[in-house]
Amino acid sequence: MNSVRKLMQGITFWIVVYVGFCSITKSLGEEGSRECNFPAIFNFGDSNSDTGGLSAAFGQPGPPHGDSYFHHPAGRYCDGRLIIDFIAKKLGLPYLSAFLDSVGSNFTHGANFATAGSTIRPQNTTLRQAGGFSPFSLSVQFTQFNDFQRRTQIFRNKGGVFKTLLPEAQDFSRALYTFDIGQNDLASGYFHNMSSAQVIAYVPDVLDQFKDIIKYVYAHGGRSFWVHNTGPIGCLPYIMDLHRVKSSQRDKAGCVVPYNEVAKFYNRGLKATVVELRRELPLAAITYVDVYSVKYSLISQAMKHGFKQPLRACCGHGGKYNYNAHIGCGAKIKIGGKEILVGKPCKNPSVRINWDGAHYTQAANNWVFDQIVDGSFSDPPIPLNMACHKHL
């Protein structure tokens, strides 16, 4: 009788354990399957995600920038929207206002600290002036974010209009932090006649500085990070025009192999850096997004994807790539006292990949976004709206 009782008690115990385990597993599963509902986005980057930062500091890029969507210049080096715009739209948030833009800005759902020409590693004054790179390096962007986070809460607590224009305190920990920067760190070396080996030599320092900024943001409450690697710089018209190379150094798509190899080297380092950060920041969900592969696929198989002339700028003036460093997109010259537009856009930007020699068209940005939004090119392979969940 005692043995039967003990047996029944044992069975009851394991039933309780099993039910409890199933309940916990179900709860974890439900939690991990929930959409994140990010209330805000805080973006850091360069011209690939600048929605008006550099133009607020140094003047608006003129027409025909913005013509395909905004129908006027909108602070973007593009004919329309950028990948960050499509990210915001997908998450049900308004397009991000640039931190530096005080006119008509609303920061309730985040802010954009990206500025065109920005690098991770600060450039000295001579390099900035020679290469056209921005003084707003990633460390400066973080300083701006730090100031923004502190001051918005001081002013929001005053009520009134501030409450309708600034984010809530808790939104900083619930927000998505997006990063798209690093391309100019590589390009700056080539602008100053460095070899690929010399550029590769300073990549570890660039990545160390990137790692520091992620840690700083984490220390300020950031938990969800969406990190883009850098694209194939060897396929950009402005790079190919400025750095003429032998045909033997080009691949089947016409891109410059050594420059793309440096981009791949940087991306491998960035991915390893993200792995290190996951170990060091236990509460962070960090998604690494391989936009290089997506962009290279688009360029190398342009016709398959509905595009044409992948290595030629849509908006520019003359030359093999329709790119001229001295006559850019929207440039005008005076003839007989009359201004004539010579940096003209192509007739149909919707079938072109490159906008102005350095940046992608709205159509290309949209196509890239459509490939990455579901997590197909992410590590871990989770979609954008689930990027607050750590991969187990």
Side-chain angles (χ1 to χ4, degrees):
M1 191 73 172
N2 287 336
S3 61
V4 173
R5 186 180 294 111
K6 287 180 179 179
L7 176 63
M8 293 303 295
Q9 288 174 340
I11 292 172
T12 301
F13 170 78
W14 286 112
I15 288 174
V16 170
V17 169
Y18 176 76
V19 170
F21 175 78
C22 290
S23 176
I24 292 171
T25 303
K26 182 173 183 290
S27 175
L28 287 173
E30 288 175 349
E31 180 67 27
S33 66
R34 286 185 193 150
E35 288 193 10
C36 297
N37 294 320
F38 296 112
I41 301 170
F42 295 103
N43 182 67
F44 302 80
D46 52 32
S47 56
N48 289 313
S49 61
D50 181 359
T51 57
L54 197 73
S55 67
F58 298 112
Q60 187 83 238
H65 293 292
D67 278 3
S68 293
Y69 182 78
F70 300 101
H71 309 300
H72 58 79
R76 294 156 174 80
Y77 292 85
C78 180
D79 61 311
R81 291 167 291 179
L82 311 174
I83 293 174
I84 188 64
D85 292 313
F86 293 110
I87 287 175
K89 182 181 178 183
K90 177 65 178 180
L91 297 178
L93 300 175
Y95 299 139
L96 292 183
S97 293
F99 167 76
L100 294 172
D101 192 358
S102 60
V103 180
S105 291
N106 186 325
F107 298 111
T108 309
H109 298 288
N112 192 354
F113 301 92
T115 58
S118 289
T119 53
I120 294 171
R121 194 170 71 156
Q123 306 287 307
N124 64 41
T125 304
T126 303
L127 290 180
R128 284 205 308 266
Q129 290 173 344
F133 298 101
S134 167
F136 301 106
S137 65
L138 187 57
S139 60
V140 173
Q141 292 181 29
F142 171 74
T143 300
Q144 293 170 338
F145 165 76
N146 182 27
D147 186 61
F148 177 85
Q149 184 181 31
R150 179 181 61 83
R151 296 180 68 215
T152 52
Q153 297 317 297
I154 293 172
F155 282 92
R156 200 176 193 281
N157 290 336
K158 293 182 178 181
V161 68
F162 298 114
K163 209 165 187 178
T164 65
L165 295 175
L166 301 173
E168 297 182 34
Q170 63 266 30
D171 289 348
F172 286 91
S173 60
R174 296 170 54 217
L176 179 66
Y177 289 82
T178 51
F179 290 79
D180 192 335
I181 193 168
Q183 175 178 301
N184 292 325
D185 289 272
L186 307 183
S188 66
Y190 289 120
F191 264 93
H192 299 96
N193 299 314
M194 290 185 182
S195 66
S196 291
Q198 288 174 311
V199 175
I200 283 173
Y202 67 67
V203 163
D205 182 49
V206 172
L207 293 172
D208 283 344
Q209 295 195 39
F210 177 82
K211 185 177 181 181
D212 286 343
I213 298 301
I214 295 289
K215 286 183 172 181
Y216 295 156
V217 173
Y218 181 86
H220 281 253
R223 292 296 179 264
S224 302
F225 300 86
W226 181 266
V227 179
H228 289 186
N229 67 11
T230 198
I233 62 172
C235 301
L236 294 174
Y238 90 105
I239 290 287
M240 294 190 292
D241 180 79
L242 292 173
H243 309 284
R244 304 296 173 87
V245 296
K246 300 175 183 176
S247 58
S248 61
Q249 291 183 298
R250 297 183 182 277
D251 61 18
K252 292 180 180 179
C255 301
V256 183
V257 174
Y259 300 159
N260 281 347
E261 287 301 318
V262 169
K264 288 189 216 178
F265 176 84
Y266 170 85
N267 289 339
R268 288 193 295 271
L270 179 63
K271 190 171 185 179
T273 298
V274 166
V275 172
E276 291 173 8
L277 284 165
R278 288 183 187 135
R279 287 197 298 264
E280 296 174 25
L281 309 177
L283 300 179
I286 311 175
T287 306
Y288 171 89
V289 188
D290 183 14
V291 296
Y292 179 100
S293 293
V294 179
K295 288 180 175 179
Y296 187 77
S297 173
L298 176 59
I299 292 166
S300 61
Q301 303 177 69
M303 289 186 67
K304 174 184 173 182
H305 300 306
F307 292 83
K308 59 184 181 181
Q309 296 183 282
L311 302 181
R312 188 171 168 83
C314 166
C315 185
H317 179 77
K320 181 179 179 180
Y321 306 107
N322 195 35
Y323 174 81
N324 186 316
H326 306 291
I327 305 176
C329 177
K332 297 176 181 179
I333 61 173
K334 277 191 175 182
I335 300 177
K338 186 178 180 181
E339 278 195 330
I340 305 294
L341 177 67
V342 290
K344 296 179 180 179
C346 58
K347 290 182 179 179
N348 189 5
S350 68
V351 295
R352 300 292 287 276
I353 294 171
N354 193 280
W355 170 239
D356 59 2
H359 309 102
Y360 289 73
T361 61
Q362 172 179 263
N365 286 327
N366 195 359
W367 190 90
V368 171
F369 172 76
D370 286 344
Q371 311 313 304
I372 66 173
V373 66
D374 66 353
S376 295
F377 290 85
S378 296
D379 177 33
I382 54 177
L384 173 68
N385 59 5
M386 306 287 284
C388 64
H389 300 298
K390 291 183 64 177
H391 185 63
L392 300 178

